[in-house]
Amino acid sequence: MKIPPRSLALGLLAIAFSALVLGRAQAGGSHYFPPVAEPVVKEECGSCHIAFAPSMLPASSWKRMMGDLRNHFGDDATVDPALAARITEYLVSHAADTGGRRYGDKWLRGVSTASAPLRITELPKWVKEHRKVPDREWSHKDVRTKANCAACHTDAERGYYDE
Ligand code: HEC
Ligand code: HEC
């Protein structure tokens, strides 16, 4: 058994909150980030980590990131140009500040979209939501990196980040 304590706690909370979460999702809850619905994006951008929801970053960020996939956080994530264009188009049209996402403003509070941040995990709102998470959890062997959302948010792939 190597279930991290966090998963256990979240699991219990998940049971307690599942009814609530469903209710909120239907009501368009503020912590629902529609998952990638385009198979090609899911495939190309979901092989090394979860396919991050496009509504987690502004359009400028996706353009910047897609403009340099060769230097993608130390990895080479290059795809052929036609495919890259398709992926960019999808991400940009579903970004936090496009596509009519109701809560995009809140998520991007304090972010200058001109600065095109590349990390979700560096957005002020993300940092604020996680400020109570202790260091030892980030370094836990089942987590390792802040970008490993699904380690703690078991429903991340489906767009739910409620606890
Ligand atoms: C070859 C592996 C690989 C592929 C393919 C890949 N990525 Fe990444 N990505 C990484 C690595 C490595 C990181 C850094 C993760 C970390 O900090 O732990 C990262 C980080 C990210 C982050 C920032 C996460 C954070 O810290 O907030 C985003 C956003 C992202 N990738 C989007 C994409 C998109 C969009 C695609 C598809 C075009 C993609 N990735 C394809 C390896 C990959
Ligand atoms: C080490 C575990 C851990 C990792 C990894 C993690 N989170 Fe979280 N996240 C939490 C916890 C715990 C909370 C609740 C914090 C609180 O309520 O004080 C939270 C809260 C959130 C919230 C707010 C949810 C709400 O209903 O208030 C969002 C959105 C979120 N996380 C997104 C992400 C994303 C996106 C990633 C990956 C880029 C990520 N998290 C990675 C533990 C984690």
Side-chain angles (χ1 to χ4, degrees):
M1 291 282 283
K2 50 168 200 149
I3 303 173
R6 168 60 51 189
S7 312
L8 263 182
L10 285 181
L12 290 175
L13 280 166
I15 293 165
F17 281 86
S18 56
L20 182 69
V21 170
L22 271 176
R24 272 207 231 162
Q26 277 152 8
S30 62
H31 296 300
Y32 174 64
F33 295 82
V36 170
E38 174 70 39
V40 84
V41 180
K42 224 174 155 174
E43 199 175 304
E44 297 297 337
C45 304
S47 55
C48 299
H49 44 65
I50 66 160
F52 296 111
S55 57
M56 290 210 157
L57 285 175
S60 57
S61 297
W62 293 124
K63 285 186 200 147
R64 182 177 165 207
M65 187 179 295
M66 292 304 294
D68 189 11
L69 285 181
R70 192 173 300 283
N71 298 299
H72 182 77
F73 304 94
D75 272 10
D76 184 345
T78 344
V79 292
D80 79 72
L83 192 51
R86 243 177 99 187
I87 295 172
T88 307
E89 148 72 16
Y90 179 84
L91 295 172
V92 164
S93 60
H94 293 83
D97 53 349
T98 53
R101 206 180 102 77
R102 275 170 62 209
Y103 296 93
D105 284 356
K106 239 191 206 170
W107 187 250
L108 294 182
R109 188 171 295 155
V111 176
S112 144
T113 54
S115 72
L118 293 178
R119 282 194 183 267
I120 297 161
T121 52
E122 283 173 3
L123 300 179
K125 174 76 174 160
W126 190 97
V127 172
K128 187 167 166 264
E129 295 281 4
H130 294 86
R131 72 181 181 277
K132 289 195 208 117
V133 180
D135 282 349
R136 65 183 147 74
E137 299 221 359
W138 298 121
S139 52
H140 191 285
K141 64 176 171 28
D142 293 330
V143 179
R144 296 180 325 275
T145 151
K146 294 183 178 177
N148 189 8
C149 322
C152 304
H153 302 284
T154 50
D155 249 358
E157 298 251 33
R158 296 198 305 128
Y160 298 105
Y161 292 86
D162 299 80
E163 282 195 85

